[in-house]
Amino acid sequence: MFTRKNGRHWLAAAAMTGAAALALTGCAGGGDAGGEYDPDEEVTLNFTWWGNDDRADRYGQLIEAFEAEHPNITIDGTFTDFPSYWEKRKTEAAGGGLPDVWQFSDSYLREYAEPGLLLDLDTVGEYIDFEAFDEGLRQTGQLDGTQYSLPTGYSSWAVFLNDGLLEAAGVEPYEGGTTYDEYTEWMAEVTEATGGEVYGGTDMTQRIQTFENVLRAEGGNLYTEDGELGFTEDQLRDFWNSGAEARDGVAIPQQQLEEIAPISGFGSNRTASEASWSNFLGGYLADSGAESVTLVAPPLDVPGGKDLYRQAGLQVAISADTEHPEAAAMWLDFVVNSETAGEVFGTTLGFPASETKLAGTTLEGVDAQVADYLESVSDRIGDAPPVPVVGYGSLEQTFWDLGKSIGLGAISVDEAVSQFFGEAQVILG
């Protein structure tokens, strides 16, 4: 539990283990959107997000700033880790109890918008500055022309390096942009140099984002515009098999990662590198306590491949059944648009997507690093992928879970491929 300065509290929600994935209901209520905001009415909004303690501390600062400007509005905030977050949202959706405002992901846009669970933001448009967004970034929260969410920022996939651990190991930093095999060879150097006290990295084939980059470099995508998978069983099998060398004593053993979860191997200083979204830099510094972390380009097997893109997946949405749509819109606008949000979050929620939020961001230190990284990989930025299919979030989690099971030796690659496509067939119909 984290105590706020004004005496109220905001909580880290407990992880839901073994929670059943409940089907979404299409019976959203719908608040009185488009009404008049009463500044004298006492309003309490439930707000939730996923992330670590660093993100929670920043949201705490933002909540205090917003409540100082709007003393009649109280923001009750909770947070948890990413997998538990979406399990809880599914349960709430089935029971009609979604939060008023919540950190959202474009991966779930179809899943929550199509059944009518998200508020059409145009109905509270007078409280939100849409014009502060580049049209392309604004469209990441649209489905069939309706605006259901807005991005906090955008990121690109990156490899993070713990400079202190590498210096202590006497290993030169990974230069970035090499082939995947060369990156694995570099990881092996680190693991060997430290005698396994620090591993070179984590098995990259666990993450669907790495697979997406491999497919995009070859001109493909994870899924098609028609809502089908964009790859074959053989492609997935080859991808997971490509991680065999890393899993054979080079990358950190999956069992160790299970023991320290939800902190990652990089965040716990057990690996010298890790791949993730560029906006994770601030969180990695906070988790690891490292004095210096460097971002470099991820591996690439196809010269000139356009595998990366401006990922604006971290968004904010309002539930359709909120009883206070106008106040909810004001809080959403404060999160995605205010200069205060730029001051508090910098680039930790992605490089600011709106002009007004960017105006409040001082690009120095960590934020300058992220900006410099995004510029350094600009020649690898391609078109954004299609709008995620319904159930993409579940497929992403299934992919990660199966990757971890492979690492634990619980299943073979062939079994994992069969299970993934079986799950995909159920989810995609």
Side-chain angles (χ1 to χ4, degrees):
M1 180 178 293
F2 300 85
T3 304
R4 291 173 52 192
K5 293 179 181 178
N6 60 6
R8 290 192 295 272
H9 299 85
W10 41 285
L11 310 174
M16 296 177 58
T17 56
L22 301 180
L24 296 178
T25 63
C27 53
D32 185 21
E36 292 297 325
Y37 169 68
D38 181 359
D40 296 321
E41 180 186 6
E42 293 293 327
V43 172
T44 297
L45 298 174
N46 294 319
F47 174 63
T48 189
W49 67 92
W50 69 86
N52 59 9
D53 289 346
D54 174 70
R55 181 173 293 178
D57 289 340
R58 293 173 191 265
Y59 266 127
Q61 296 174 48
L62 195 65
I63 288 171
E64 290 177 356
F66 178 80
E67 290 179 342
E69 291 188 18
H70 306 281
N72 64 309
I73 302 177
T74 299
I75 307 295
D76 279 350
T78 60
F79 78 101
T80 186
D81 61 272
F82 187 81
S84 301
Y85 183 87
W86 290 105
E87 286 298 326
K88 188 168 180 61
R89 298 294 83 75
K90 286 181 180 179
T91 302
E92 291 170 343
L98 284 165
D100 295 288
V101 187
W102 40 307
Q103 192 171 278
F104 193 65
S105 169
D106 66 341
S107 299
Y108 292 84
L109 184 57
R110 290 184 185 275
E111 189 168 341
Y112 284 85
E114 288 182 345
L117 297 171
L118 301 181
L119 183 70
D120 176 355
L121 297 184
D122 286 331
T123 63
V124 286
E126 65 182 286
Y127 302 98
I128 302 172
D129 182 7
F130 296 117
E131 299 304 317
F133 293 87
D134 170 86
E135 182 62 23
L137 290 172
R138 180 178 169 181
Q139 288 175 352
T140 60
Q142 294 178 2
L143 183 64
D144 297 330
T146 299
Q147 194 80 48
Y148 291 107
S149 61
L150 285 169
T152 63
Y154 62 91
S155 306
S156 285
W157 201 247
V159 170
F160 295 80
L161 306 176
N162 187 315
D163 300 324
L165 291 181
L166 291 175
E167 183 178 356
V171 177
E172 289 295 316
Y174 174 59
E175 63 184 42
T178 68
T179 66
Y180 284 91
D181 285 344
E182 288 170 327
Y183 175 59
T184 301
E185 291 172 4
W186 176 86
M187 285 198 296
E189 288 183 39
V190 177
T191 304
E192 183 177 353
T194 66
E197 291 186 12
V198 175
Y199 289 87
T202 304
D203 174 16
M204 290 186 75
T205 65
Q206 288 184 356
R207 302 298 300 273
I208 200 170
Q209 287 81 10
T210 305
F211 187 39
E212 180 177 39
N213 288 345
V214 170
L215 293 172
R216 285 174 56 85
E218 298 171 350
N221 268 305
L222 285 173
Y223 39 86
T224 68
E225 295 282 2
D226 298 328
E228 299 178 356
L229 293 182
F231 56 92
T232 66
E233 292 188 21
D234 286 341
Q235 285 175 298
L236 179 55
R237 183 177 295 106
D238 289 345
F239 175 74
W240 268 331
N241 278 329
S242 71
E245 183 179 350
R247 294 189 290 269
D248 189 19
V250 171
I252 184 172
Q254 184 58 38
Q255 185 57 49
Q256 289 194 28
L257 293 175
E258 296 294 320
E259 294 169 356
I260 62 176
I263 303 297
S264 71
F266 191 83
S268 63
N269 292 303
R270 300 194 188 190
T271 68
S273 74
E274 186 162 294
S276 192
W277 297 109
S278 56
N279 64 291
F280 274 45
L281 178 56
Y284 275 145
L285 285 166
D287 284 346
S288 66
E291 293 185 3
S292 176
V293 171
T294 298
L295 291 81
V296 296
L300 176 65
D301 283 341
V302 180
K306 302 286 187 179
D307 57 333
L308 306 181
Y309 59 94
R310 292 197 307 173
Q311 200 269 1
L314 204 158
Q315 312 232 344
V316 182
I318 299 173
S319 296
D321 60 356
T322 180
E323 295 180 0
H324 307 286
E326 293 79 24
M330 293 167 64
W331 168 237
L332 178 148
D333 186 72
F334 198 76
V335 175
V336 301
N337 270 329
S338 70
E339 291 191 17
T340 304
E343 295 171 5
V344 170
F345 280 99
T347 61
T348 62
L349 293 180
F351 192 83
S354 85
E355 294 178 357
T356 47
K357 184 180 177 183
L358 179 59
T361 305
T362 302
L363 295 178
E364 59 185 19
V366 169
D367 300 321
Q369 269 190 271
V370 174
D372 289 344
Y373 171 73
L374 292 172
E375 177 62 27
S376 74
V377 296
S378 59
D379 62 337
R380 281 176 60 173
I381 301 294
D383 294 334
V387 174
V389 296
V390 173
Y392 172 71
S394 296
L395 287 177
E396 178 184 3
Q397 188 60 46
T398 296
F399 192 102
W400 197 359
D401 291 340
L402 290 172
K404 290 185 284 189
S405 294
I406 293 171
L408 289 169
I411 58 175
S412 68
V413 167
D414 285 342
E415 290 170 332
V417 171
S418 178
Q419 288 187 33
F420 181 84
F421 272 81
E423 181 74 9
Q425 185 175 11
V426 172
I427 291 175
L428 301 181

